[in-house]
Amino acid sequence: MIFRQLFDSVSGTYSYLLASRPGGEALILDPVLEKADRYCKLLQELDLKLVKAVDTHLHADHVTGLGELRDRTHCITIMGEQSKADVVSMRVSDGDKVTIEGLCLDVMYTPGHTDDSYSFSMGDRVFTGDTLLIRGTGRTDFQNGSARAQYDSIFNRLLKLPEETLVFPAHDYKGDTVSTIGEEKRYNPRLQVRSIDEYVELMGNLNLPNPRLMDVVIPANMHVGLHQDELEKQGLSLNARQAIESLGRTDVLLVDLRESSERAKHGTLSGALHAPYPSIEESLKPGGVLREVAAATGRRIVFFCAFGERSAMAVKAAKEAGLSNTAHIAGGLDAWKKAGGPVLHV
Ligand code: FE
């Protein structure tokens, strides 16, 4: 496995780059905007293709690199379903899995620091975001934080992992890089409480100043989504209503870009062809399935995904591959459902 812990000294943020092999797919956790150049250089040096960028929660102390990395590498952006970010490619919830070639992260909903805080466990290690820090815990006094919820996330979820599990947090301000569940259980001063009430009282008396750039950073992180209005101006976009009306039309071919797990969980559209986004370039090449189907049937390909990001990127990729008769459903299946469109369960 390729594993890199990357540090942003300005915000004290740790970002993690994961991949199973050189030449393969990579995932990054909690990237920082200002470090995008460095990540891209490292990806190139290690011969990796970034396919997923994940934030453990909506950060208040640094601007996320999710949007920038999506624009540069066409990767998928991922956050929890509770996140107030306007658009991400995929939203996950407790029990889901985030997969790339050769690696699988188990999604754990661990609210408390914020109401959209997630941890991700993978074999011998867990990425705890700002829920559990090394000899500390994330503050719970803004962004719908809750010391009560955090106690539950830590004591009833994270500390139930095997004691030797490596703990990789999203921040450290003292220079510590890694801990273990057992070590934190015994030596984390915040965890030496006898009851949930004692923890709530402890967290209520921290009296921390607000993060320096909070008023700028939080709104920036909420507007991370891919702007889909450019495609609309070019006539390459259907809104949910128009898409619903086109259902069953013989000159349209719906193409579902989501992963099998998303289709199983949220359903799909009647008659849709499944062509997962990660292999879009393959599918659009001469001889590729989308290329062939478009040529054989003369139908207009209408891409859709969960929220419209992957489909917007697919329209651009199709155009670059010389396939111009495509469009996407703005807002994805989410907008479709909200407009009352019928969903087929697979
Ligand atoms: Fe945080």
Side-chain angles (χ1 to χ4, degrees):
M1 181 176 59
I2 296 168
F3 176 80
R4 294 297 155 94
Q5 183 178 40
L6 303 158
F7 187 57
D8 172 50
S9 56
V10 178
S11 60
T13 302
Y14 284 130
S15 309
Y16 300 92
L17 182 68
L18 313 171
S20 66
R21 63 169 181 101
E25 293 184 350
L27 173 150
I28 195 164
L29 265 169
D30 288 328
V32 174
L33 175 64
E34 287 78 8
K35 296 287 177 189
D37 282 342
R38 182 172 170 221
Y39 305 143
C40 289
K41 188 155 179 281
L42 186 60
L43 286 162
Q44 204 175 31
E45 288 164 350
L46 299 178
D47 186 24
L48 296 173
K49 178 177 166 47
L50 187 69
V51 296
K52 287 182 177 168
V54 184
D55 264 356
T56 52
H57 62 288
L58 197 116
H59 298 286
D61 62 332
H62 67 270
V63 178
T64 174
L66 251 58
E68 182 68 19
L69 289 173
R70 175 204 59 226
D71 291 346
R72 290 197 199 189
T73 69
H74 303 141
C75 70
I76 292 175
T77 58
I78 301 178
M79 290 187 79
E81 63 179 2
Q82 296 82 357
S83 171
K84 287 174 188 69
D86 55 352
V87 182
V88 285
S89 307
M90 194 187 284
R91 289 180 185 266
V92 291
S93 57
D94 192 68
D96 282 351
K97 291 182 191 309
V98 173
T99 56
I100 61 166
E101 175 203 359
L103 292 179
C104 177
L105 301 181
D106 288 309
V107 179
M108 298 171 76
Y109 181 43
T110 52
H113 170 57
T114 62
D115 62 356
D116 71 337
S117 286
Y118 277 78
S119 298
F120 297 88
S121 75
M122 185 182 75
D124 65 350
R125 60 200 64 199
V126 61
F127 303 96
T128 54
D130 289 353
T131 303
L132 177 61
L133 305 174
I134 300 174
R135 307 298 190 268
T137 57
R139 64 192 297 170
T140 55
D141 56 338
F142 53 69
Q143 287 190 279
N144 296 324
S146 156
R148 220 160 261 287
Q150 192 175 53
Y151 180 95
D152 187 54
S153 296
I154 294 174
F155 282 83
N156 297 324
R157 299 296 304 276
L158 293 171
L159 297 190
K160 301 279 193 228
L161 293 169
E163 294 228 333
E164 61 277 15
T165 307
L166 298 169
V167 172
F168 287 103
H171 286 291
D172 194 84
Y173 310 99
K174 313 171 298 292
D176 291 319
T177 54
V178 61
S179 180
T180 66
I181 289 292
E183 214 178 297
E184 291 312 308
K185 221 183 243 181
R186 280 184 286 282
Y187 305 117
N188 188 322
R190 298 243 175 108
L191 307 186
Q192 308 312 309
V193 291
R194 277 157 305 186
S195 67
I196 187 164
D197 292 324
E198 201 180 312
Y199 186 74
V200 170
E201 196 188 321
L202 188 157
M203 294 306 285
N205 290 321
L206 294 178
N207 300 317
L208 298 167
N210 279 344
R212 205 163 47 88
L213 299 172
M214 182 172 158
D215 296 338
V216 182
V217 165
I218 291 180
N221 286 339
M222 283 168 65
H223 291 99
V224 68
L226 176 68
H227 301 291
Q228 298 169 25
D229 36 344
E230 196 52 43
L231 289 181
E232 195 186 324
K233 277 182 219 149
Q234 296 168 25
L236 300 175
S237 178
L238 303 180
N239 65 34
R241 196 111 302 289
Q242 294 166 323
I244 292 166
E245 281 161 15
S246 78
L247 195 65
R249 262 175 55 181
T250 51
D251 56 341
V252 163
L253 176 67
L254 290 167
V255 172
D256 187 350
L257 297 166
R258 296 167 306 148
E259 299 182 1
S260 298
S261 59
E262 295 175 276
R263 285 159 56 87
K265 193 170 170 184
H266 302 289
T268 187
L269 304 184
S270 172
L273 184 77
H274 186 208
Y277 175 76
S279 38
I280 186 75
E281 278 170 22
E282 286 296 310
S283 317
L284 289 167
K285 269 186 197 157
V289 57
L290 292 179
R291 186 78 169 215
E292 295 302 304
V293 170
T297 64
R299 292 158 94 180
R300 184 186 203 191
I301 290 178
V302 175
F303 294 108
F304 71 94
C305 57
F307 302 101
E309 277 207 341
R310 280 169 282 185
S311 56
M313 292 192 283
V315 170
K316 283 184 196 158
K319 213 173 176 185
E320 276 161 27
L323 217 76
S324 53
N325 191 23
T326 67
H328 86 131
I329 302 180
L333 193 69
D334 180 59
W336 171 281
K337 280 185 181 176
K338 282 173 181 160
V343 171
L344 190 75
H345 284 278
V346 285

